[in-house]
Amino acid sequence: MEIAKDYYKQIYLTDISAVDGVKRNPEWARSLMWSYARNMATKAKKSKIFADVKATQNVSDVTLDSYVKKLEELFVIKDIDAWTPQIRSKTAIRSGKKHNEEASKNPEHPRAKYREPSALIVISATAAMGYTTDNGVKIVPIGCLKD
């Protein structure tokens, strides 16, 4: 979990400015990413996301739009097309949904270098007990993750 938190911080503190060398406000980027996360897999329009950010930040739509473009260049966010039920359907295609995309898909992404994972773990809802397979995969019952 710490790696994910560090990755998130890296994006809004460093990457958003490093992508093209323009200094950007990390708090605006953090708020924008937070709003996208709240609206993930919804049909929220940019105006709703921007209003969400502007509720706590003094920033213009033009500036937020430029931040969105940079987050798209970093492969952090992406609008995806709506699912179409049938090709011949007369039903109108809805607008796309918001989607977070991992920056690891971009080989030019200026990100921190992390070590290789030390374990491959599968969390199982049906495993009676935890065990390690012959090839080193650890099977962990979900009940072991409770506090």
Side-chain angles (χ1 to χ4, degrees):
M1 192 63 156
E2 291 301 315
I3 291 174
K5 288 178 184 177
D6 184 53
Y7 172 64
Y8 171 65
K9 285 181 182 177
Q10 181 74 19
I11 291 169
Y12 73 79
L13 290 175
T14 306
D15 295 351
I16 192 75
S17 295
V19 69
D20 60 358
V22 174
K23 179 85 171 122
R24 290 187 174 77
N25 186 323
E27 191 57 30
W28 294 351
R30 187 199 63 76
S31 296
L32 183 61
M33 289 173 62
W34 192 254
S35 183
Y36 257 85
R38 276 195 299 270
N39 291 289
M40 188 168 46
T42 68
K43 294 184 290 180
K45 296 186 178 191
K46 279 187 180 178
S47 58
K48 179 181 177 186
I49 292 172
F50 289 2
D52 191 27
V53 174
K54 292 193 299 185
T56 59
Q57 305 295 326
N58 186 18
V59 60
S60 71
D61 286 353
V62 174
T63 301
L64 288 174
D65 195 49
S66 72
Y67 279 51
V68 166
K69 287 179 181 156
K70 294 308 164 189
L71 290 171
E72 287 172 344
E73 284 180 29
L74 290 168
F75 297 94
V76 174
I77 59 174
K78 180 180 180 181
D79 285 346
I80 58 173
D81 294 330
W83 174 75
T84 307
Q86 293 182 4
I87 294 174
R88 296 182 187 178
S89 173
K90 292 183 181 180
T91 305
I93 296 176
R94 298 181 185 110
S95 63
K97 292 185 176 182
K98 305 300 177 212
H99 179 69
N100 287 327
E101 188 170 327
E102 290 185 34
S104 61
K105 294 179 183 178
N106 180 359
E108 298 174 8
H109 182 274
R111 61 185 169 271
K113 302 291 185 225
Y114 294 106
R115 62 179 173 77
E116 288 294 316
S118 58
L120 177 58
I121 300 172
V122 175
I123 300 171
S124 172
T126 59
M129 63 180 182
Y131 60 95
T132 303
T133 63
D134 293 337
N135 58 359
V137 178
K138 298 182 184 323
I139 309 299
V140 178
I142 196 162
C144 291
L145 301 178
K146 293 180 184 176
D147 284 339

